[in-house]
Amino acid sequence: MAQCAQSVQEFIQDSFVPMVSVLCSEDAERVTRKNNLSFPELLRPFCRLTSEGHLRDPNNQVVVVKGLRISVTGVNTRSPNSGEVRKLLSQAVSACQPPEGLPANVITAGDYDLNISDRSVKASVPWYSDWKEMLTQLSSSKYYTATTPWFEAYRENFLQSMPASDHEFLNHYLACMLVVSSHEAVPTEQFLKLSQEQHRIQHSGEYTYPKWFIPNTLKYYVLLHDISDGDEQRADSVYEDMKQRYGTQGCYLLKINSRIGAAGPDEQMPDPWSQYLQKTNIHSPYEEGVLNNVENNISSEVDGLDSSDVVSEIHPLKLEQSADPGFPGNPSKAVNSADTARTQKQGSVTPGAAPTAHGTCLTLNDHDRIRQFIQEFTFRGLLPHIEKNIRQLNDQLVSRKGLSRSLFSATKKWFGGGKVPEKSIAELKNTAGLLYPPEAPELQIRKMADLCFLVQHYELAYSCYHTAKKDFLSDQAMLYAAGSLEMAAVSAFLQSGAPRPYPAHYMETAIQTYRDVCKNMVLAERCALLSAEVLKSQAKYSDAATLLIKMTSEDSDLRSALLLEQAAHCFINMRSPMVRKFAFHMILSGHRYSKAGQKRHALRCYCQAMQVYKGKGWTLAEDHINFTIGRQSFTLRQPENAVAAFRHILINDSKQTATQQSAFLREYLYVYKSLSQPSNEGSLPQLPLPCVRSAQTRVFFGHEPRLAEGEKQAATHVWLDQEFDQEQAQLWAELEEQVVAVANRGSVPISFQPMQYCLSSHTENLRYPFAVVEEPMFVEVVFRNPLKVPLVLSDLSLLWKFTTKDFSKPQGGTTGETITNEKEAAADKATALNDIISTEVIPEFTVGPEETKVARLKLLPHKTGELHVLGIVYNLGTKEEDNSASEASQLMFVRGRQDLEIQGPRLNVTKEEKTSVRHGPDRRLDPIITPPMPLLEVFFINFPTGLLCGEIRKAWVEFVNVSAVPLAGLRVASTHPEFFTFGSATADLTPVTPTAAEHCSAYKTMVTSPSDAAVTLVSAAAFGITGDDRPTVVEIPLTGGVLGPGEALQIPLWLRGPDREGVHEISFLFYYEGLEKNAKLSHRVLRHKAVICASRSLSVRATACRSNTLPGRGKRDEREEERSGSMLVFVDVENINTSEAGVREFHIVQVSSSSRQWRLHKCINPAGDKDSKLASRERGKLCFRATRCRTQEATSDALEKYTFADLNLGNEQIVSSTTPCADFFFRRGPPSEPRKGGVITVGGLLRRQSLTPANSTDDSMTSIVRKCSEVELDIIVLWKAYVVEDNKQLILEGQLHVALQTIGKEACSLSQKEEAQEMVLLKFKPDLPPPASRPSLEQLSHLIKTCLHYPESYDHPFPQKSLCMVPVTLTLSNCSLAQVDVIIDLRHKNYQTQYKLQLRPQEVHGLSLKACFFQAGVYNLGTPRVFAKLAQSGTMCETSQQSAMPALIIINSV
């Protein structure tokens, strides 16, 4: 149980005190009423004796009476009504509330944070580490107590209001004060009248109430003298007469009202009566007026609750110091401490009413006279009267029962013999209605026991109670027996020195008898209250809790609530505190308080229990407690507490059903709406629903993407629908860096930062983002509905704060005023500031049950400055299924806000940051609004989604400046520059519109018949090629270099299908600038991602071989070309299309070449169909002769020019040296390894010789030898495909590239599917010195080209001449640029067969030989072996020309 202000002994002694009645004359009452008091009220603060009293027991032993209190009340002949008693008890509990405003410390006790109030112990005491130890120390400490004064008030009023019963005499009157004023004409007559009135009330039989202890009631005559208005001498003479008439011990002269005039303003008189007048006492009829006033005050407080009262959540362990000097009940400061325990609540009973002054006519001397009067009455009147009656009763009992002379001396005899077996309650008959006559010896024993108990003679009282108990049980008078058992147990406990243990079983039997047999819950409750206090004092908290819980029933909610609360305190005061049981019983107590109408106490109980249940995962229990706290707080006009409680229900992941959650939400909306109505102009409070995931908030700067219109497709750019991809973000940043470097003449500015249009938790948000004035920004907010019921958000918009700033002025611009739309949004006028920033309002936004949904809110700034998005504002409501109540449901919404607070990334750079938790800023919601910038929109017309590999398609691109400022510096960068081209500067742009070009070829064509190759010289610079690198950034020409506001530019765009099949993502980055320099934004970009699906088309393989033909007879041009060198090119084309694109067949329409040294000369295929047709899986072979470019073409001006040679196989020539064919040739894939090194120039060779003279010979030799076998020749195969689509035949065209690099080595277009490379373990080897650069044998074999000239057939008459000699010429050609030594071995054994020659660079030498035959036949003349070596080298190598092909000759015999 909670700690009380009194000890258990004091509590029990004050519960059973001698009762004294008062009868006053009218004049005497008038004298006391000058002080606004009745006579009993006048005496009440002084009814506790300050000195010890003494009396002698029947054994003539002195009994010391300490701290005796008497109860003086007016005579009330009306029996108390049970309904009135219940009402008074309820009012007493309501009037006593927990003290507020006391300092509280939160101490962590294990898993629980308990709110404890104490004035000396700090919250950081180290011995609070163990929560059980802490609670044990608190519960056992004499310095710290958890008080429940409302329980003490209830208990005190309950014990005072108990009706007097016939089975006991504790509540019967022992004496009667007869009070007469000295102002009476004949005071003795008034005393006689009052004495007769008392005798009539007691003995006439007309009144059954009040009860009198003994027939001969002590009458004490009091003469009341008003000093301020009376004759003191007359009063003294009357008093002398009284002493003669009634004896000196039976009368008293009390002088009061000695104050003359009103008290001065500086004089402070004590008012000891105020704390007692609020106590409800039903014994005195004279107090009814005051009592009714108190009742009205209390009911007015309960019914009209003051909204300013706040019920603080005070834990049951919230302590008071009993040693506090001002604490009522401290015997050193308050003499009458037993009746001062409720002083704390007096000021709140009648709020607003001026307190009534009491004792205004009394001085401190009068207080002392009253105190002396009470002492004289007790010591000289009451105690002797009680002593005399105890002796008389003892003598009567001894003589009547025939016992020994003294009952006290016979105690051992009674208890020494065998005990009488007690029958159980179940065996006893229901004799609760049995009544004894007043003179029955059993009642006389009980009367004697009660008298002994009242004067603290507990040993004799116990003996008498025990004797009476046995007599009553033998008579089966159960009511009498239960009373004796109860008081016997109490007497045993109160005996000094504890000669015997407390008989708790007596109490249990008494309670069971009262409750079950006698059906008297009032007596059972009194018994339980006494026993629980005794058990608590003995630290038997478990037994006390069990006893209190058993006393709960349905007949009284208030009693059950109080007892359950005390049981909860018992659980927490155990040696091992049972915190959860405490919380559970506090919940039960709060429920019963609520049923009893005690809303404040119910709220307090729930709040205290919440401290235990909170945060432990018991969500259903938390929901119930919070819901009840919310309702009770709202009933008590504490809407803030109610809103907070309902908020907890809604924000946690509730396990309630949808119906229950809907009820919670409706309650919350109703409470919240009632709270927000009086404060419409104030700031909007935070709403708990729906949950806003601030970290997932995304911000987009720019317009919404446009939808495709027919063949017109807008650039994809960036939008909130796109998921963030770190690799893509890095790719876009690299592209932007490339184009910025080109725009800034090759260097990237130090302050460069990639443009970020969409900010999220994945992007770097440490810097302030930039937005452009008059361009919208979108904030995507993620909502999550944790409930199982839908939520409706209406009038949803953003809250913002904006500071105007003019960036056009120097020093960073001038700062203006700060504007916010919070007030306008609170008044549901979010669009009031649209002239500064247009705020979009979403009329209705529904979030389904347990749904996560995003809302995109738009702002359009109209001025430059700094913008801060603060949060969102909306009306929160719920959907009602019943449409008939739509009007009511529309009213059930509340307006509030939620702030968007985003935590930045954790800082982890410095040592201080690593050792602490610090977070950087996140600026995504704080953009800087910059001055106007151009805004580009790009549209693609006839842009395909699927292409064949190598297919050429012509599309159009349109650039539109949709801003109000001009645009310049338009460039585009791409991850696949080989995929597209805008054409060269000299390209013919006709036709100029997409409609005119719909059925035209993408190539420039000429009608011509098949013939030798048409040759064209082209500079790579004309197509944007500088050096060996491919162009990654293309500058788009604008008229005058500027695209004005609202202007559009439409230019053609050629596309070429990727060489690999599959799906390809191709990224375009369009870069542009403004004419006027912007201090914040230097440029802007527009992104576009195209997805192309490439299908198989053709596979091309090519091989270059040396031609054995040497200059001979023929045309001059041919001889010169042969002299320059020629070779054969074999082209193998295969149709690998599987008809998935509807392709019927491919036509090879033209083969072109591009090189700086070689060109295709003519096609040497057999005559026939020149236009090769390839159906599915068919293969065609083509053979071409290639020659070196003419010497006059390779002038110094044309060293870097490419020679394009076109060999058309039909009647139409495609000019390959123009757009788009040449563009895609120059933009083809990365060059192969030999091309990376380039051609070594003479200057470079000389420089190298000077740097490394030791290896100069080997390096030059290797270069010379390698060039003999190198071929830099690119083959371009142009084709057309016939496709059937939608029952229409379409003609597709395209081109494939094959790069020939080495003679004899096959080259092919890119494979359609590259096999995945297997993972290879890394092997770490030491760096070896680079090997000496020496030519390989294969390279040396190509130094010399040989050719045999002989007749194909030769006729010889072998019969006439046996030896046939045929002239043969062996032509040797030096293919290198160095001097070569040659050895010809004819492989004859009998004569000289070797010839040694030395050939100058590119010299052609003919060696005349003769072939000898002895008979006719077919012979191979290709037997001579030719060896060659460089003149400076010692390595000899056999040429490979001898085995190139057999040289057959036919010898005929004639």
Side-chain angles (χ1 to χ4, degrees):
M1 294 176 66
Q3 300 296 326
C4 300
Q6 297 174 298
S7 66
V8 183
Q9 288 79 7
E10 291 175 343
F11 159 67
I12 296 177
Q13 289 173 5
D14 287 348
S15 300
F16 303 99
V17 295
M19 301 287 294
V20 179
S21 62
V22 174
L23 284 177
C24 286
S25 66
E26 293 183 2
D27 285 347
E29 187 69 25
R30 190 162 39 251
V31 171
T32 59
R33 284 299 173 189
K34 290 183 178 181
N35 298 286
N36 296 318
L37 297 168
S38 65
F39 187 78
E41 291 173 349
L42 179 70
L43 303 182
R44 189 169 300 172
F46 310 100
C47 286
R48 183 178 295 279
L49 301 182
T50 58
S51 58
E52 296 180 353
H54 301 84
L55 57 90
R56 292 184 178 272
D57 63 8
N59 205 23
N60 211 27
Q61 297 292 327
V62 177
V63 177
V64 180
V65 182
K66 299 180 180 179
L68 180 66
R69 186 177 72 88
I70 62 174
S71 175
V72 180
T73 60
V75 176
N76 186 3
T77 58
R78 183 171 57 87
S79 172
N81 182 271
S82 60
E84 293 179 357
V85 171
R86 284 196 298 269
K87 182 178 179 181
L88 290 173
L89 292 177
S90 177
Q91 291 171 349
V93 174
S94 298
C96 189
Q97 296 296 331
E100 300 169 5
L102 294 180
N105 292 325
V106 177
I107 298 179
T108 301
D111 294 335
Y112 301 95
D113 293 332
L114 303 179
N115 188 1
I116 296 179
S117 171
D118 72 65
R119 300 174 183 144
S120 59
V121 180
K122 301 299 179 183
S124 58
V125 176
W127 48 269
Y128 280 146
S129 57
D130 186 355
W131 65 280
K132 290 188 178 181
E133 179 183 357
M134 183 272 295
L135 292 177
T136 303
Q137 292 188 16
L138 287 178
S139 61
S140 61
S141 174
K142 64 181 180 180
Y143 298 108
Y144 309 107
T145 56
T147 59
T148 51
W150 49 90
F151 172 70
E152 297 176 37
Y154 170 86
R155 191 174 58 185
E156 181 180 353
N157 282 272
F158 170 76
L159 293 174
Q160 288 184 0
S161 64
M162 286 197 64
S165 176
D166 292 331
H167 78 286
E168 63 181 11
F169 303 94
L170 295 169
N171 288 346
H172 294 194
Y173 285 123
L174 275 168
C176 180
M177 291 183 181
L178 306 178
V179 184
V180 174
S181 171
S182 62
H183 195 266
E184 294 278 355
V186 184
T188 54
E189 293 183 1
Q190 290 296 327
F191 280 125
L192 181 60
K193 289 181 181 180
L194 293 177
S195 178
Q196 293 173 351
E197 177 69 14
Q198 188 277 332
H199 187 273
R200 185 179 66 83
I201 293 173
Q202 180 177 0
H203 298 287
S204 67
E206 299 177 10
Y207 304 101
T208 58
Y209 199 84
K211 303 288 185 182
W212 302 90
F213 206 106
I214 51 179
N216 186 18
T217 301
L218 171 67
K219 296 184 178 65
Y220 198 79
Y221 300 90
V222 180
L223 181 64
L224 189 64
H225 176 65
D226 187 349
I227 298 177
S228 64
D229 184 21
D231 187 353
E232 190 170 352
Q233 291 183 355
R234 183 176 181 274
D236 291 338
S237 64
V238 172
Y239 178 58
E240 291 297 328
D241 183 43
M242 290 172 59
K243 286 193 289 185
Q244 295 295 329
R245 187 185 296 269
Y246 307 118
T248 57
Q249 297 182 349
C251 60
Y252 193 84
L253 172 61
L254 177 60
K255 298 179 180 180
I256 60 173
N257 296 345
S258 60
R259 181 184 298 278
I260 301 176
D266 298 333
E267 188 176 0
Q268 295 290 335
M269 287 298 296
D271 184 5
W273 296 273
S274 59
Q275 56 184 320
Y276 294 98
L277 293 184
Q278 306 301 337
K279 295 183 179 182
T280 53
N281 195 322
I282 63 172
H283 294 286
S284 175
Y286 303 107
E287 301 178 47
E288 290 182 1
V290 177
L291 181 61
N292 292 334
N293 186 27
V294 172
E295 292 177 12
N296 294 334
N297 290 334
I298 295 177
S299 62
S300 66
E301 181 197 6
V302 175
D303 297 336
L305 293 169
D306 188 2
S307 61
S308 63
D309 293 342
V310 179
V311 178
S312 59
E313 296 186 10
I314 303 176
H315 194 268
L317 294 182
K318 186 172 177 62
L319 307 177
E320 300 290 341
Q321 280 190 337
S322 59
D324 187 356
F327 189 84
N330 185 359
S332 64
K333 294 295 179 180
V335 176
N336 303 290
S337 59
D339 289 336
T340 61
R342 296 171 60 192
T343 58
Q344 298 179 2
K345 63 181 175 57
Q346 299 306 319
S348 62
V349 175
T350 57
T356 303
H358 304 102
T360 55
C361 298
L362 302 177
T363 63
L364 293 178
N365 291 331
D366 293 334
H367 293 185
D368 293 338
R369 292 189 189 102
I370 297 172
R371 188 177 292 109
Q372 183 65 29
F373 160 68
I374 293 294
Q375 191 164 342
E376 287 289 325
F377 165 74
T378 305
F379 290 161
R380 303 185 66 180
L382 183 62
L383 288 181
H385 177 71
I386 294 175
E387 180 181 350
K388 183 181 70 173
N389 279 276
I390 290 176
R391 289 181 179 274
Q392 292 177 357
L393 289 171
N394 181 66
D395 294 342
Q396 292 176 10
L397 290 173
V398 170
S399 63
R400 187 172 301 178
K401 284 185 173 287
L403 301 176
S404 60
R405 180 179 175 276
S406 174
L407 181 66
F408 181 72
S409 62
T411 303
K412 289 186 178 180
K413 179 180 178 181
W414 293 344
F415 292 101
K419 294 183 178 180
V420 178
E422 297 180 1
K423 297 181 181 180
S424 65
I425 299 298
E427 296 173 352
L428 295 174
K429 293 183 293 182
N430 186 6
T431 55
L434 178 65
L435 296 177
Y436 288 94
E439 63 276 4
E442 292 84 359
L443 288 186
Q444 300 305 314
I445 296 177
R446 173 62 198 256
K447 187 177 295 186
M448 178 180 173
D450 288 345
L451 280 175
C452 294
F453 187 89
L454 290 176
V455 293
Q456 303 177 7
H457 194 352
Y458 299 118
E459 186 175 358
L460 181 56
Y462 177 80
S463 301
C464 295
Y465 284 132
H466 197 274
T467 302
K469 180 249 316 181
K470 292 196 298 182
D471 293 342
F472 291 140
L473 284 177
S474 63
D475 295 339
Q476 295 187 5
M478 300 312 300
L479 179 63
Y480 295 87
S484 298
L485 282 170
E486 175 187 3
M487 297 311 297
V490 174
S491 300
F493 172 74
L494 291 177
Q495 288 183 44
S496 59
R500 56 180 59 87
Y502 170 65
H505 61 287
Y506 279 16
M507 279 293 194
E508 293 177 4
T509 305
I511 293 172
Q512 190 175 1
T513 303
Y514 282 141
R515 185 182 60 197
D516 299 336
V517 178
C518 304
K519 306 299 181 183
N520 193 326
M521 287 301 297
V522 174
L523 293 174
E525 182 179 354
R526 183 189 70 180
C527 192
L529 292 176
L530 296 173
S531 181
E533 283 294 333
V534 174
L535 292 173
K536 182 193 71 173
S537 68
Q538 298 177 344
K540 296 179 180 179
Y541 292 103
S542 179
D543 296 340
T546 304
L547 175 64
L548 293 170
I549 294 172
K550 284 183 179 180
M551 284 303 299
T552 59
S553 61
E554 294 299 325
D555 61 331
S556 174
D557 290 314
L558 181 61
R559 180 185 70 236
S560 300
L562 289 162
L563 297 184
L564 284 170
E565 182 180 8
Q566 295 305 308
H569 284 275
C570 290
F571 287 122
I572 207 171
N573 279 286
M574 292 182 180
R575 178 169 299 178
S576 296
M578 306 174 74
V579 184
R580 291 194 294 272
K581 273 200 171 185
F582 155 77
F584 178 71
H585 285 84
M586 288 300 287
I587 294 294
L588 297 178
S589 174
H591 176 66
R592 300 303 292 270
Y593 271 131
S594 180
K595 291 179 67 177
Q598 302 287 339
K599 304 299 182 182
R600 292 179 183 270
H601 290 291
L603 177 61
R604 174 184 51 77
C605 290
Y606 277 99
C607 292
Q608 291 176 359
M610 190 61 188
Q611 296 181 91
V612 176
Y613 286 104
K614 181 172 59 180
K616 299 299 183 298
W618 297 349
T619 57
L620 296 179
E622 280 191 72
D623 290 347
H624 169 75
I625 297 172
N626 277 314
F627 182 72
T628 308
I629 290 175
R631 276 200 164 180
Q632 299 289 4
S633 299
F634 182 72
T635 306
L636 294 172
R637 299 178 185 175
Q638 301 172 15
E640 293 85 0
N641 294 344
V643 168
F646 282 116
R647 179 187 178 91
H648 283 293
I649 302 178
L650 299 176
I651 61 176
N652 297 326
D653 290 332
S654 175
K655 296 180 181 178
Q656 303 283 358
T657 62
T659 305
Q660 191 65 46
Q661 289 181 359
S662 179
F664 287 163
L665 182 58
R666 286 195 301 270
E667 290 272 354
Y668 170 77
L669 295 177
Y670 180 77
V671 171
Y672 188 97
K673 194 170 183 66
S674 65
L675 169 65
S676 60
Q677 279 179 353
S679 59
N680 285 332
E681 297 181 358
S683 60
L684 287 170
Q686 298 284 335
L687 290 177
L689 290 174
C691 300
V692 175
R693 296 179 174 175
S694 298
Q696 299 180 15
T697 302
R698 297 194 297 168
V699 183
F700 175 77
F701 303 101
H703 293 275
E704 294 185 57
R706 291 195 180 186
L707 300 176
E709 300 176 1
E711 296 296 329
K712 201 172 184 179
Q713 174 188 352
T716 56
H717 194 44
V718 186
W719 181 237
L720 293 168
D721 292 336
Q722 302 169 7
E723 294 292 333
F724 179 81
D725 189 339
Q726 184 62 44
E727 294 182 0
Q728 287 292 322
Q730 183 65 27
L731 183 145
W732 289 118
E734 291 175 357
L735 280 178
E736 186 173 352
E737 187 173 356
Q738 291 176 10
V739 71
V740 167
V742 172
N744 288 274
R745 300 179 181 178
S747 63
V748 179
I750 300 176
S751 60
F752 166 73
Q753 289 294 328
M755 291 286 294
Q756 289 184 333
Y757 287 97
C758 186
L759 302 179
S760 65
S761 58
H762 303 288
T763 57
E764 182 181 347
N765 306 319
L766 296 177
R767 297 177 180 83
Y768 291 97
F770 296 111
V772 180
V773 68
E774 300 297 343
E775 291 188 18
M777 62 173 287
F778 294 85
V779 179
E780 182 182 84
V781 183
V782 181
F783 294 101
R784 178 182 174 271
N785 179 9
L787 304 182
K788 299 173 184 176
V789 294
L791 299 176
V792 179
L793 313 183
S794 58
D795 296 336
L796 174 63
S797 61
L798 289 172
L799 291 173
W800 47 262
K801 181 176 66 175
F802 181 70
T803 304
T804 59
K805 198 170 185 180
D806 188 0
F807 295 105
S808 61
K809 296 184 179 180
Q811 285 84 31
T814 57
T815 304
E817 61 176 342
T818 300
I819 304 167
T820 181
N821 71 333
E822 292 180 89
K823 290 185 178 179
E824 289 75 10
D828 206 359
K829 298 177 182 178
T831 59
L833 298 175
N834 276 359
D835 56 330
I836 300 173
I837 294 180
S838 297
T839 305
E840 180 190 24
V841 178
I842 299 179
E844 184 172 317
F845 183 80
T846 303
V847 187
E850 297 181 338
E851 181 186 9
T852 299
K853 193 174 181 181
V854 299
R856 290 171 182 167
L857 302 166
K858 184 171 72 171
L859 295 177
L860 181 62
H862 301 293
K863 295 184 178 181
T864 59
E866 297 174 353
L867 176 64
H868 303 278
V869 178
L870 304 177
I872 53 175
V873 59
Y874 55 92
N875 298 325
L876 174 62
T878 181
K879 273 191 174 180
E880 297 289 345
E881 296 181 359
D882 187 6
N883 294 329
S884 62
S886 60
E887 185 173 342
S889 63
Q890 287 177 0
L891 300 176
M892 192 55 66
F893 67 86
V894 294
R895 189 158 185 84
R897 63 182 289 175
Q898 287 201 56
D899 293 336
L900 295 175
E901 299 175 351
I902 304 176
Q903 188 181 59
R906 180 178 176 180
L907 303 177
N908 198 26
V909 179
T910 64
K911 181 180 179 180
E912 185 179 358
E913 292 172 352
K914 291 179 180 179
T915 55
S916 61
V917 179
R918 291 187 178 183
H919 294 270
D922 192 300
R923 309 288 191 190
R924 75 181 84 164
L925 294 175
D926 305 325
I928 295 176
I929 311 301
T930 67
M933 282 286 289
L935 183 61
L936 176 69
E937 287 190 359
V938 178
F939 300 94
F940 296 91
I941 304 171
N942 298 329
F943 197 91
T945 57
L947 293 171
L948 294 174
C949 292
E951 179 186 349
I952 303 296
R953 188 77 64 89
K954 188 176 183 179
W956 294 79
V957 61
E958 183 178 19
F959 301 98
V960 183
N961 182 5
V962 295
S963 66
V965 294
L967 178 150
L970 182 57
R971 295 175 175 85
V972 61
S974 176
T975 55
H976 297 71
E978 74 279 2
F979 171 71
F980 72 97
T981 178
F982 291 102
S984 63
T986 59
D988 186 4
L989 297 182
T990 56
V992 294
T993 61
T995 306
E998 186 175 358
H999 300 291
C1000 296
S1001 172
Y1003 293 108
K1004 181 180 180 181
T1005 59
M1006 297 173 60
V1007 178
T1008 180
S1009 58
S1011 61
D1012 291 345
V1015 179
T1016 308
L1017 277 177
V1018 173
S1019 172
F1023 294 89
I1025 305 298
T1026 56
D1028 293 325
D1029 296 330
R1030 292 182 299 162
T1032 56
V1033 179
V1034 179
E1035 185 170 356
I1036 299 173
L1038 300 174
T1039 305
V1042 175
L1043 190 63
E1047 293 183 359
L1049 172 66
Q1050 198 175 80
I1051 61 174
L1053 172 70
W1054 287 270
L1055 308 173
R1056 180 177 178 269
D1059 290 312
R1060 294 189 185 93
E1061 68 169 328
V1063 178
H1064 299 264
E1065 290 186 353
I1066 299 164
S1067 301
F1068 296 89
L1069 183 79
F1070 297 94
Y1071 167 98
Y1072 57 98
E1073 304 170 353
L1075 285 181
E1076 297 181 2
K1077 293 299 180 183
N1078 191 323
K1080 298 295 182 181
L1081 278 178
S1082 61
H1083 67 276
R1084 303 186 80 176
V1085 296
L1086 177 67
R1087 302 172 184 174
H1088 176 66
K1089 180 182 288 185
V1091 179
I1092 297 295
C1093 181
S1095 304
R1096 293 182 179 184
S1097 57
L1098 297 176
S1099 173
V1100 179
R1101 298 174 183 271
T1103 309
C1105 299
R1106 290 284 188 196
S1107 174
N1108 289 337
T1109 59
L1110 292 176
R1113 296 183 295 274
K1115 295 181 181 179
R1116 179 183 175 185
D1117 293 343
E1118 292 181 0
R1119 288 201 305 270
E1120 289 190 7
E1121 290 173 359
E1122 291 174 358
R1123 186 177 298 275
S1124 301
S1126 63
M1127 62 181 176
L1128 298 178
V1129 177
F1130 298 94
V1131 180
D1132 189 349
V1133 184
E1134 181 183 3
N1135 180 2
I1136 59 174
N1137 183 271
T1138 54
S1139 300
E1140 66 267 15
V1143 180
R1144 293 173 52 192
E1145 59 183 9
F1146 285 90
H1147 288 224
I1148 310 301
V1149 297
Q1150 182 173 305
V1151 178
S1152 301
S1153 66
S1154 175
S1155 174
R1156 286 179 285 193
Q1157 299 181 10
W1158 295 88
R1159 65 182 179 85
L1160 292 182
H1161 180 57
K1162 63 179 179 179
C1163 179
I1164 57 174
N1165 268 23
D1169 188 1
K1170 297 288 181 86
D1171 190 359
S1172 301
K1173 297 179 182 179
L1174 297 176
S1176 178
R1177 310 308 298 180
E1178 287 188 350
R1179 178 182 296 181
K1181 293 181 179 292
L1182 298 173
C1183 182
F1184 301 93
R1185 174 172 292 173
T1187 61
R1188 286 189 180 273
C1189 297
R1190 296 183 180 180
T1191 307
Q1192 61 268 23
E1193 294 173 358
T1195 59
S1196 59
D1197 296 336
L1199 283 177
E1200 294 302 321
K1201 287 191 175 182
Y1202 285 78
T1203 300
F1204 282 82
D1206 299 332
L1207 286 172
N1208 59 308
L1209 304 182
N1211 295 324
E1212 192 175 49
Q1213 176 193 348
I1214 297 174
V1215 182
S1216 62
S1217 59
T1218 60
T1219 299
C1221 184
D1223 294 84
F1224 288 116
F1225 165 72
F1226 288 114
R1227 288 171 170 265
R1228 66 196 183 283
S1232 56
E1233 292 180 2
R1235 195 181 298 274
K1236 289 181 181 177
V1239 179
I1240 298 180
T1241 62
V1242 177
L1245 181 59
L1246 292 176
R1247 286 195 297 272
R1248 208 163 196 182
Q1249 287 175 354
S1250 64
L1251 292 173
T1252 57
N1255 297 330
S1256 61
T1257 305
D1258 291 339
D1259 289 343
S1260 61
M1261 244 188 342
T1262 302
S1263 175
I1264 291 171
V1265 173
R1266 188 177 65 242
K1267 287 201 62 180
C1268 293
S1269 59
E1270 260 190 7
V1271 178
E1272 290 188 20
L1273 178 62
D1274 289 275
I1275 304 299
I1276 304 173
V1277 178
L1278 294 103
W1279 50 264
K1280 287 186 178 180
Y1282 293 88
V1283 179
V1284 176
E1285 184 176 316
D1286 297 333
N1287 296 324
K1288 294 181 181 180
Q1289 180 169 314
L1290 303 177
I1291 300 177
L1292 307 180
E1293 49 193 355
Q1295 64 187 58
L1296 296 172
H1297 306 134
V1298 179
L1300 289 172
Q1301 298 165 358
T1302 306
I1303 291 178
K1305 187 175 181 180
E1306 185 181 64
C1308 60
S1309 58
L1310 291 176
S1311 60
Q1312 302 303 317
K1313 287 185 180 179
E1314 292 186 350
E1315 297 182 0
Q1317 297 182 356
E1318 297 182 358
M1319 298 294 292
V1320 180
L1321 292 177
L1322 293 176
K1323 295 180 180 180
F1324 297 94
K1325 296 181 179 181
D1327 293 337
L1328 298 176
S1333 179
R1334 295 183 179 275
S1336 64
L1337 295 179
E1338 182 183 0
Q1339 291 173 336
L1340 291 173
S1341 67
H1342 294 289
L1343 286 174
I1344 300 297
K1345 183 172 70 171
T1346 62
C1347 183
L1348 289 172
H1349 291 269
Y1350 59 89
E1352 293 182 1
S1353 63
Y1354 192 80
D1355 298 335
H1356 180 73
F1358 283 100
Q1360 286 81 14
K1361 193 175 182 178
S1362 60
L1363 181 61
C1364 175
M1365 301 180 67
V1366 179
V1368 177
T1369 302
L1370 176 61
T1371 306
L1372 303 173
S1373 176
N1374 185 0
C1375 297
S1376 68
L1377 298 176
Q1379 197 169 7
V1380 177
D1381 294 335
V1382 182
I1383 299 177
I1384 298 100
D1385 185 4
L1386 300 179
R1387 294 191 287 187
H1388 283 290
K1389 299 179 181 179
N1390 298 329
Y1391 50 88
Q1392 180 184 359
T1393 60
Q1394 286 190 349
Y1395 296 87
K1396 292 183 178 180
L1397 300 174
Q1398 193 173 59
L1399 300 180
R1400 296 185 303 275
Q1402 293 189 342
E1403 179 187 357
V1404 179
H1405 178 74
L1407 181 62
S1408 298
L1409 301 173
K1410 288 185 179 181
C1412 300
F1413 306 97
F1414 296 97
Q1415 62 182 10
V1418 178
Y1419 295 91
N1420 180 15
L1421 298 180
T1423 56
R1425 300 177 64 184
V1426 178
F1427 299 90
K1429 73 179 183 66
L1430 293 177
Q1432 298 90 348
S1433 173
T1435 304
M1436 183 68 70
C1437 180
E1438 183 178 1
T1439 180
S1440 63
Q1441 293 296 321
Q1442 61 179 1
S1443 57
M1445 60 185 67
L1448 301 180
I1449 186 173
I1450 302 173
I1451 305 299
N1452 299 317
S1453 177
V1454 294

